[in-house]
Amino acid sequence: MLRPLRSALPALLAASLIGAAATAPLAQAQTGAASKAAASSSGTALSVEQARAAAVRILNAVKNGDAKARFAQFSPEMQAVTSPSMIAATMRTQPKVLSYELLSVRSGMSGSTVEAELTTKLGKRVVFMVLNNSGKIDRYYVDRADDASSQVALQFVQAISTGNFITAQSFLSPGTQVELTPAVLQSKWLELQRETGTFVKVGRAVEAETTPDTRLVLVNVQFNRLADNLYVILNGENQITGVDFPENPAGPS
């Protein structure tokens, strides 16, 4: 039995974990998220040259499909929720990267951010990386502004349901990533299954409500005891700014 559709956007925006990050401008959110992450890293800040070199190593690992190198390039917090074998499985599902170009590298005492354009077999993608003071990835996100909101939400839930919590976090807006770390996403997903039973499959994604700046997508998920909708909120650039993991899922009728 599914939760009934409600006029959900105002309530979810007010009650979700995102707080003010839901409506923060993208540039402001990027800066704040990068600063907060880097502030927790110890050591001397990277120079622009060091950040550039770290970005090149990271992108070469992606281009070469090197899962072990990719794992080593994540921060310890991200490594705790993944493994080289999980990364290898994820990379096999993604379009092969043919080349890349660094678009910008910014570094300072608060950390480093890198913007790069990847050329894949399916076209070009812009990726943003937040690096800590050791040159490891604290977070990353991909420009999905031109994708359908329903597909973005669906892919996000599919990533969570397969245990790819780092990939799932990459769908979130920069400000939301500060609160919803891969470990938090993992905890919420496991907690949900204590109420619903074991995950079975992801169903349809339906765009339920739309405003000029916000979209609400319902993603149906089936568990062995019941089915329920996850409410996924996206901003105008298709970055996820909130997820409603139901605390009291509807039981079977």
Side-chain angles (χ1 to χ4, degrees):
M1 178 179 179
L2 304 183
R3 286 182 292 167
L5 175 61
R6 57 189 182 270
S7 182
L9 277 177
L12 291 180
L13 284 171
S16 68
L17 293 173
I18 56 180
T23 55
L26 176 60
Q28 178 183 341
Q30 290 173 356
T31 302
S35 299
K36 185 169 182 178
S40 64
S41 301
S42 60
T44 305
L46 298 176
S47 66
V48 171
E49 291 74 18
Q50 289 172 325
R52 184 184 302 276
V56 167
R57 289 193 296 270
I58 291 166
L59 293 170
N60 279 338
V62 174
K63 182 173 180 288
N64 296 332
D66 190 336
K68 289 184 178 180
R70 186 87 169 117
F71 177 80
Q73 292 161 350
F74 286 133
S75 67
E77 293 78 11
M78 297 183 84
Q79 288 180 347
V81 297
T82 190
S83 67
S85 61
M86 289 181 65
I87 293 171
T90 299
M91 294 177 82
R92 286 194 293 270
T93 68
Q94 297 173 341
K96 180 175 176 54
V97 175
L98 304 176
S99 63
Y100 63 83
E101 178 185 359
L102 294 181
L103 302 179
S104 67
V105 180
R106 301 180 181 88
S107 192
M109 293 303 296
S110 60
S112 306
T113 58
V114 177
E115 180 182 6
E117 183 178 70
L118 309 183
T119 300
T120 76
K121 285 188 173 181
L122 297 182
K124 296 183 182 293
R125 282 284 191 183
V126 174
V127 61
F128 301 84
M129 294 181 287
V130 179
L131 307 181
N132 65 20
N133 290 342
S134 299
K136 307 288 187 179
I137 301 174
D138 264 334
R139 293 187 309 282
Y140 76 96
Y141 52 99
V142 179
D143 182 5
R144 299 182 175 90
D146 294 332
D147 294 350
S149 298
S150 58
Q151 284 302 306
V152 173
L154 185 64
Q155 291 167 15
F156 166 74
V157 176
Q158 288 171 338
I160 286 183
S161 67
T162 54
N164 290 295
F165 301 106
I166 293 175
T167 299
Q169 194 200 30
S170 74
F171 287 85
L172 307 180
S173 71
T176 309
Q177 287 188 350
V178 174
E179 303 297 331
L180 291 180
T181 66
V184 170
L185 290 172
Q186 180 184 47
S187 175
K188 285 187 170 292
W189 179 246
L190 295 176
E191 183 179 349
L192 175 63
Q193 290 182 87
R194 293 190 189 101
E195 300 294 332
T196 62
T198 306
F199 166 76
V200 176
K201 68 177 182 178
V202 178
R204 296 178 57 194
V206 178
E207 295 189 30
E209 292 188 45
T210 301
T211 71
D213 301 318
T214 309
R215 289 100 186 213
L216 171 64
V217 178
L218 276 60
V219 182
N220 178 251
V221 185
Q222 294 186 25
F223 303 90
N224 69 342
R225 290 204 297 266
L226 56 89
D228 211 337
N229 289 321
L230 296 187
Y231 292 72
V232 181
I233 304 168
L234 303 95
N235 62 20
E237 296 180 333
N238 276 340
Q239 297 170 333
I240 294 173
T241 57
V243 185
D244 176 25
F245 290 90
E247 295 182 0
N248 298 297
S253 57

